[in-house]
Amino acid sequence: MLVSSDLYKKSSKTQKIRCEICANYCKIADGNVGVCRQHKNINGELFDESYSIVSSLSPDPVEKKPLNHFLPGTFTYSIGGFGCNMTCLHCQNYMISHEYDKNSRGIKITPEAIVENALRYNCKSIAWTYNEPTIHLPFSMKTSLLARQKDLKVIYVTNGYFSDKSIEEILTFVDAFNIDLKAMSRDFYKKVCGADLDVVLDNIKRVYDEGKHLEVTNLIINDYNDSIEEINELCDFVVNELDCNVPLHFSRAFPYYKMNDISPTRPEILFKARDIAHDKGIKNVYLGNI
């Protein structure tokens, strides 16, 4: 599907285009794809090659996202796609984000069918999850607008790596966010995720300032982002830049993808992180994957 011209720029000198769907701002030559591998330059136009193709569909408890303070006790209809705009070495969903064949494994479905399914399963919302939803912006936007017409709420489970243009669009149709704040280290983001921490922090603050429901998740990895100093810094960000009422989830990591040499996160550091958050006044702190 041809992407709206508002979401990319053409070069006046070459057939390269600048994708503006996420914060990578990929400059894509004719015949090539961007970091996410979903958007392709075809003769100087940007095409979404994953439109209406998903990897998974499932009604889930909304707490599984995790969202513990948004429509608690209800089910959400989860939709996952393929690809990602980060290159995290520890990716927990690498099978659909980095190593996949969407042509043989993909499920073709229309926005209308997704909304019908959500209603059939008595879900109160739809959730774009499992992989990064931002890279499927045209599809998620059309589906979400249809869902809202049927009184369904819309959830984004995301890494927060939005472009300036995409966040403007996303804020018009998403009701609740769980944003994965992977670390408070710029070096971690650059080397482990191939991304820029400051972009994520700015987008988290923007979501909060717009009054959207927000919960933050931090996956703690032994010897990478588990220092007491960094946990303190993350909690300070929540307290000082957001609000003590914003739910904070600390989650346990396991050896996976290109980080098979790590050991499962020590439970004691998760308990310590929870104590630090509580001591700083954060009211809703949860531990995951334990």
Side-chain angles (χ1 to χ4, degrees):
M1 178 177 175
L2 181 63
V3 173
S4 168
S5 58
D6 292 339
L7 293 172
Y8 67 97
K9 288 183 178 178
K10 297 181 180 182
S11 169
S12 59
K13 298 179 180 179
T14 69
Q15 281 198 310
K16 272 190 177 181
I17 57 176
R18 183 180 190 254
C19 177
E20 299 192 346
I21 292 174
C22 86
N24 284 314
Y25 295 105
C26 295
K27 294 180 180 179
I28 309 172
D30 187 28
N32 290 350
V33 295
V35 169
C36 70
R37 294 190 287 161
Q38 308 308 302
H39 301 114
K40 188 172 184 178
N41 179 347
I42 301 176
N43 297 323
E45 304 281 359
L46 187 64
F47 284 81
D48 180 356
E49 296 200 312
S50 288
Y51 192 89
S52 280
I53 299 174
V54 300
S55 62
S56 45
L57 298 160
S58 175
D60 290 322
V62 72
E63 289 83 1
K64 188 179 176 183
K65 296 303 97 192
L67 285 172
N68 286 12
H69 293 261
F70 184 76
L71 302 176
T74 68
F75 274 72
T76 187
Y77 194 67
S78 297
I79 311 115
F82 292 95
C84 191
N85 56 354
M86 289 189 185
T87 54
C88 299
L89 303 179
H90 58 292
C91 182
Q92 305 292 290
N93 287 319
Y94 75 91
M95 296 83 73
I96 61 172
S97 294
H98 298 294
E99 297 181 1
Y100 58 85
D101 178 0
K102 63 176 177 278
N103 295 316
S104 62
R105 294 177 57 193
I107 304 164
K108 189 79 172 177
I109 190 167
T110 65
E112 292 79 6
I114 288 175
V115 174
E116 289 170 7
N117 287 350
L119 295 171
R120 185 180 305 118
Y121 286 110
N122 295 316
C123 296
K124 300 300 182 185
S125 60
I126 63 171
W128 300 95
T129 181
Y130 304 139
N131 81 311
E132 176 52 44
T134 308
I135 61 177
H136 306 295
L137 180 58
F139 183 57
S140 69
M141 184 172 184
K142 181 173 182 179
T143 308
S144 298
L145 292 174
L146 289 174
R148 286 165 70 101
Q149 290 175 12
K150 299 294 183 179
D151 295 323
L152 293 167
K153 299 296 185 182
V154 178
I155 295 166
Y156 251 39
V157 181
T158 172
N159 60 31
Y161 212 49
F162 315 126
S163 69
D164 293 338
K165 285 190 176 180
S166 66
I167 194 170
E168 293 289 343
E169 298 281 6
I170 289 165
L171 287 168
T172 66
F173 65 84
V174 177
D175 300 289
F177 294 78
N178 184 294
I179 300 182
D180 190 8
L181 180 51
K182 299 175 186 294
M184 291 301 289
S185 161
R186 291 173 179 82
D187 193 57
F188 179 99
Y189 260 90
K190 182 178 180 180
K191 293 181 178 178
V192 177
C193 306
D196 183 340
L197 168 63
D198 291 326
V199 171
V200 177
L201 295 178
D202 287 345
N203 282 330
I204 291 175
K205 288 188 286 186
R206 176 72 186 280
V207 167
Y208 174 77
D209 290 342
E210 290 290 330
K212 299 295 182 177
H213 181 85
L214 170 65
E215 302 193 20
V216 174
T217 295
N218 175 232
L219 184 74
I220 297 181
I221 307 171
N222 292 339
D223 302 321
Y224 281 86
N225 64 349
D226 64 340
S227 70
I228 298 303
E229 293 76 17
E230 189 162 346
I231 292 169
N232 270 288
E233 189 176 355
L234 189 146
C235 292
D236 286 339
F237 170 77
V238 173
V239 171
N240 297 326
E241 301 293 341
L242 307 177
D243 187 276
C244 289
N245 291 302
V246 171
L248 177 59
H249 303 258
F250 291 109
S251 195
R252 191 182 193 201
F254 291 87
Y256 229 54
Y257 193 35
K258 296 181 179 180
M259 277 194 180
N260 277 314
D261 57 336
I262 66 171
S263 56
T265 309
R266 295 169 289 125
E268 57 267 26
I269 195 63
L270 292 166
F271 299 137
K272 182 62 176 177
R274 182 177 61 185
D275 291 343
I276 290 170
H278 280 153
D279 288 345
K280 289 182 179 291
I282 299 174
K283 297 178 181 179
N284 304 295
V285 187
Y286 302 96
L287 303 184
N289 289 345
I290 59 168

